[in-house]
Amino acid sequence: MKALVLSGGAGTRLRPITHTSAKQLVPVANKAVLFYGLESIAEAGITEVGMIVGDTAAEIQEAVGDGSKFGLRITYIPQEHPLGLAHAVLIARDWLGDDDFVMYLGDNFIVGGISALVEEFRHNRPDAQILLTRVPDPRAFGVAELDGAGGVVGLEEKPEHPKSDLALVGVYLFTPAIHDAVRAVKPSWRGELEITHAIQHLIDARADVRCTVIRGYWKDTGNVDDMLEVNRTVLEELPRRIDGEVDDLSETVGRVVVEEGARIVNSRIVGPAVIGAGTVVDNSYVGPFTSIAENCRITDSELEFSIVLRDSSIDGVGRIESSLIGRHAEVTPASHVPSAHRLVLGDHSKVQIHT
């Protein structure tokens, strides 16, 4: 069995961060979202991975390499334009051959991995197996309609009037039967070849299409709020580890990770939180559900429920909450600021905040 990992796409909902960085490489608990998916694939016993890449191909390849650090063998498959998930299957046809495969969206996050799902598919081997989860507003997703016995009878892509609250999770399992289906579909109103249309083609042809409704945690990390929520979930599972330097005037409370080379000076860190290698936190407070990447500097500030990417600095700005701050960003005081700020800053940003 192989895996097809989709790592293209523009990431428009995460701008301005994704103006200069691939959305799949935005870190959760200081590790790229994409890496969690690759680790799940390896844990499921799959070693051959085809990775669909687009405009950010160079950055993805630099971060992932040949896959050996994950126990995988990566083949990069360029997609010149993001023309839909079914299009990704279409252009990967030669690499996939006649093997079964799991298709994994590289910006999705599933707690608990996919090992049980892959094992179930290998045992039953339906033509297609999809994952579903209940969501409050399914209009932003592919949506499934089930019959009374729980069988899949219909799929719609981002419907205005959904027939259920069951959204498709970004993991699909297929036999080679999917290849005829993706060749049969036409572009949607969005100009894309939709995987939902291809699966619907299988359903209409009376192929064996099954579903699994998951009740665990899943997020499409396509926007800032979802990134912060996934970061919170992952941090809650981190064990406490202090490898860096914490001076006698500082306090670390709960599940706090201080990476080697980091320094905590006259500060209070309340977990769950992670402080990256080479980062200095000086005379500051870092509150729960915060990830600070490597080589940052936090001085005379308060930070909570936020993600700070590498090589950024926050100096004397009072309190920041619910923020995603890009690489090489600088946040400094100006005057007359409210007690809390919410920021989404792109890489190399410079912001003056009133105090």
Side-chain angles (χ1 to χ4, degrees):
M1 192 170 185
K2 293 177 177 177
L4 186 65
V5 177
L6 276 60
S7 299
T12 54
R13 290 179 294 158
L14 270 176
R15 288 177 178 166
I17 298 296
T18 49
H19 278 308
T20 53
S21 180
K23 63 178 179 177
Q24 297 84 4
L25 297 181
V26 176
V28 168
N30 286 2
K31 181 166 67 175
V33 171
L34 175 61
F35 292 0
Y36 291 97
L38 294 177
E39 290 170 354
S40 293
I41 289 166
E43 289 168 3
I46 299 171
T47 58
E48 295 288 341
V49 174
M51 188 166 291
I52 303 292
V53 290
D55 291 342
T56 59
E59 188 181 9
I60 296 287
Q61 288 182 247
E62 181 180 2
V64 176
D66 63 1
S68 57
K69 63 185 175 182
F70 303 99
L72 303 171
R73 291 187 294 273
I74 305 286
T75 299
Y76 292 97
I77 303 170
Q79 185 182 36
E80 292 186 5
H81 303 287
L83 297 177
L85 304 188
H87 180 258
V89 176
L90 197 64
I91 65 173
R93 178 68 178 93
D94 289 343
W95 179 82
L96 288 167
D98 291 325
D99 292 312
D100 297 347
F101 67 98
V102 55
M103 183 167 73
Y104 197 115
L105 275 59
D107 59 351
N108 275 226
F109 185 90
I110 300 175
V111 169
I114 60 171
S115 295
L117 175 72
V118 169
E119 184 59 33
E120 179 186 354
F121 178 81
R122 283 171 164 157
H123 178 73
N124 297 318
R125 203 167 178 265
D127 295 302
Q129 186 164 343
I130 58 177
L131 267 68
L132 305 173
T133 192
R134 298 191 183 279
V135 297
D137 185 1
R139 290 175 298 175
F141 304 96
V143 177
E145 181 184 4
L146 307 184
D147 60 21
V152 185
V153 296
L155 299 174
E156 296 179 284
E157 185 64 33
K158 297 180 174 61
E160 182 65 28
H161 303 288
K163 295 180 180 178
S164 80
D165 61 352
L166 290 168
L168 275 77
V169 174
V171 177
Y172 310 78
L173 298 107
F174 297 117
T175 67
I178 193 63
H179 296 303
D180 287 339
V182 297
R183 284 196 296 269
V185 299
K186 304 298 182 183
S188 67
W189 62 270
R190 300 192 304 164
E192 297 186 4
L193 296 177
E194 310 286 1
I195 197 66
T196 48
H197 293 177
I199 299 170
Q200 184 66 53
H201 181 86
L202 291 176
I203 295 170
D204 294 341
R206 300 189 180 279
D208 186 3
V209 177
R210 303 187 188 183
C211 67
T212 300
V213 179
I214 63 171
R215 292 172 175 81
Y217 187 84
W218 164 78
K219 279 288 184 183
D220 169 4
T221 60
N223 61 51
V224 173
D225 289 339
D226 286 341
M227 285 295 305
L228 293 173
E229 181 63 20
V230 171
N231 191 62
R232 181 193 66 79
T233 300
V234 175
L235 288 176
E236 285 182 332
E237 302 300 320
L238 286 183
R240 179 181 172 87
R241 176 168 52 86
I242 308 296
D243 294 334
E245 176 185 338
V246 179
D247 74 0
D248 293 339
L249 298 176
S250 298
E251 181 183 21
T252 60
V253 181
R255 291 187 300 278
V256 173
V257 174
V258 180
E259 299 286 2
E260 185 175 356
R263 292 194 297 123
I264 312 300
V265 181
N266 190 31
S267 297
R268 190 167 192 257
I269 316 295
V270 178
V274 57
I275 312 298
T279 286
V280 177
V281 179
D282 186 3
N283 195 37
S284 295
Y285 166 78
V286 176
F289 311 122
T290 300
S291 297
I292 303 173
E294 64 271 20
N295 301 319
C296 294
R297 188 170 186 94
I298 313 297
T299 307
D300 299 325
S301 300
E302 297 183 4
L303 186 65
E304 188 166 308
F305 192 52
S306 295
I307 299 173
V308 182
L309 276 60
R310 61 178 173 85
D311 301 303
S312 293
S313 65
I314 300 172
D315 187 357
V317 297
R319 187 171 181 84
I320 294 174
E321 296 178 348
S322 305
S323 300
L324 174 57
I325 297 174
R327 300 174 297 182
H328 299 277
E330 297 180 11
V331 184
T332 56
S335 59
H336 308 299
V337 64
S339 59
H341 313 281
R342 189 175 192 276
L343 307 174
V344 181
L345 302 180
D347 299 346
H348 304 282
S349 297
K350 293 186 179 181
V351 176
Q352 289 187 323
I353 296 181
H354 295 280
T355 59

